[in-house]
Amino acid sequence: MRDTIHAPGTEGILPDLCVRQSQLKVLAQSSLRHVWHQYLSPDRREESTRQQELGTLTHALTLEPEKFNDAFRVAPDVSLATIAGAQTLLAWLTEQAIDLFLPVSAPAGPKLAELKASIEALQTLLAPHCTIVTEGALADARRMHAELWGYPQIARILAHPLLRTETRIIFRDSGIPCQSTLDLHIPPCAEYPSGLIADLKSARSAHRATFLKQTEQLCYHWQADFYRRAFEAYYGTTPPYVWVVVENTAPFCANLIACGETLCEYARIEYYPHLQTLAGALASGDWPGYEYNASPAPPSQWMARRHERGEV
């Protein structure tokens, strides 16, 4: 369980009533109803890609290694296109369920479709209790973890005696209750007078220019400004912010990239209207879908440039 700290004046505020930066990104690209569906609906389900799985594993190995064995179960790498592979995975899942004292139904029939249905049912049963990963994904995540420690400037941060990991800060931004969960941070100290925030990211490329393009697309600069405001609300200083980036494909290179002040200034301008909208929805409980826009849709900038250059 992550550590939770409260900025002055926020004691007693429940995390579920706080705005999160990830919600701002969802709202910017969709609607309030999508935010409710992804974060607050009792029927929400989380699905992940292999890249996301690797990111989750690397986070766990780097930030909370002592909790890894309790949180994850490593499944055998098998092909579900064959009956033998499906039977192997089903037997392994059944063992995990029995180990966790969960109810297990009767064995599946011999057909592949029946085996796959039983596998899906067991995966759903196990989901609230542990995260299932494959042997191959774990091997890649260990290589990513080793690359992080092999980068001297990153290792210096990871080995700092005052380093805190997975820390949730409850704070107010313009009076609005908010929460931020910092991957890695160092409180103000002699080495870092204003403190330091380090955000662990996995990406296809850790090249500086490529990652900064991804930063704009995925709103990582919003996260940087939001997290720095949380830090300032609790510690009273505005820290430098760095991205600890490791690639999720071979050769799994790592890089350390600092977030500039101008990026944070732009972020504030971009996300603040969404912050106000989300605060209103949390207060009212009203989560509408898209609003009707009667104005004709203009061409995109990309389409307009193609026509201007005669590329059609």
Side-chain angles (χ1 to χ4, degrees):
M1 182 178 292
R2 63 171 62 96
D3 182 24
T4 299
I5 56 180
H6 289 257
T10 64
E11 296 80 3
I13 294 180
L14 298 176
D16 286 347
L17 300 179
C18 295
V19 174
R20 287 180 262 180
Q21 178 275 330
S22 55
Q23 295 172 335
L24 300 175
K25 176 189 167 187
V26 172
L27 178 57
Q29 299 174 347
S30 50
S31 71
L32 282 170
R33 187 176 299 174
H34 290 80
V35 177
W36 181 86
H37 177 74
Q38 292 189 33
Y39 291 91
L40 302 173
S41 169
D43 299 324
R44 64 186 183 276
R45 292 183 62 184
E46 295 184 6
E47 298 181 359
S48 62
T49 63
R50 177 176 173 80
Q51 284 70 31
Q52 291 170 330
E53 183 180 74
L54 281 175
T56 300
L57 279 169
T58 307
H59 267 73
L61 288 170
T62 305
L63 306 183
E64 299 179 299
E66 72 282 357
K67 301 178 183 178
F68 185 86
N69 290 333
D70 292 332
F72 293 88
R73 300 288 174 112
V74 183
D77 275 320
V78 296
S79 171
L80 293 183
T82 66
I83 289 179
Q87 288 175 331
T88 299
L89 181 58
L90 181 59
W92 181 87
L93 289 168
T94 301
E95 290 177 6
Q96 307 312 306
I98 293 173
D99 185 53
L100 292 169
F101 301 100
L102 300 174
V104 179
S105 58
K111 295 183 179 180
L112 186 58
E114 295 172 327
L115 291 168
K116 287 184 176 180
S118 295
I119 287 171
E120 184 175 349
L122 275 173
Q123 288 173 331
T124 301
L125 179 68
L126 288 164
H129 305 279
C130 62
T131 300
I132 298 172
V133 298
T134 63
E135 294 170 345
L138 179 58
D140 285 348
R142 292 193 187 281
R143 290 183 63 184
M144 293 163 68
H145 176 71
E147 286 290 333
L148 290 171
W149 277 96
Y151 196 110
Q153 291 83 356
I154 295 174
R156 178 182 172 188
I157 294 172
L158 296 176
H160 198 281
L162 297 180
L163 181 70
R164 299 183 67 172
T165 63
E166 289 290 304
T167 305
R168 177 166 57 191
I169 301 178
I170 307 296
F171 68 107
R172 290 186 185 274
D173 185 342
S174 303
I176 300 170
C178 299
Q179 64 162 305
S180 292
T181 301
L182 280 55
D183 282 349
L184 304 154
H185 81 275
I186 298 172
C189 59
E191 187 175 359
Y192 299 100
S194 298
L196 176 73
I197 297 176
D199 189 27
L200 180 58
K201 297 292 187 190
S202 62
R204 290 194 62 83
S205 173
H207 184 273
R208 180 185 175 88
T210 304
F211 179 77
L212 289 177
K213 288 180 182 178
Q214 185 175 337
T215 293
E216 181 178 353
Q217 295 168 352
L218 299 179
C219 302
Y220 289 162
H221 58 313
W222 291 17
Q223 189 177 39
D225 184 74
F226 203 70
Y227 284 14
R228 294 209 315 168
R229 289 176 183 274
F231 189 103
E232 183 178 9
Y234 185 79
Y235 290 106
T237 59
T238 303
Y241 189 103
V242 296
W243 287 293
V244 175
V245 189
V246 60
E247 294 172 346
N248 51 33
T249 56
F252 304 104
C253 289
N255 202 357
L256 188 67
I257 303 171
C259 177
E261 291 295 330
T262 304
L263 268 177
C264 287
E265 292 172 6
Y266 286 178
R268 183 64 171 178
I269 294 170
E270 293 167 5
Y271 77 69
Y272 188 67
H274 304 300
L275 176 64
Q276 294 176 305
T277 301
L278 266 177
L282 284 167
S284 67
D286 186 22
W287 301 88
Y290 297 113
E291 294 183 1
Y292 174 63
N293 187 340
S295 61
S300 67
Q301 293 182 355
W302 174 79
M303 183 186 295
R305 284 196 297 270
R306 287 184 63 230
H307 279 264
E308 289 170 1
R309 293 193 295 258
E311 297 176 354
V312 291

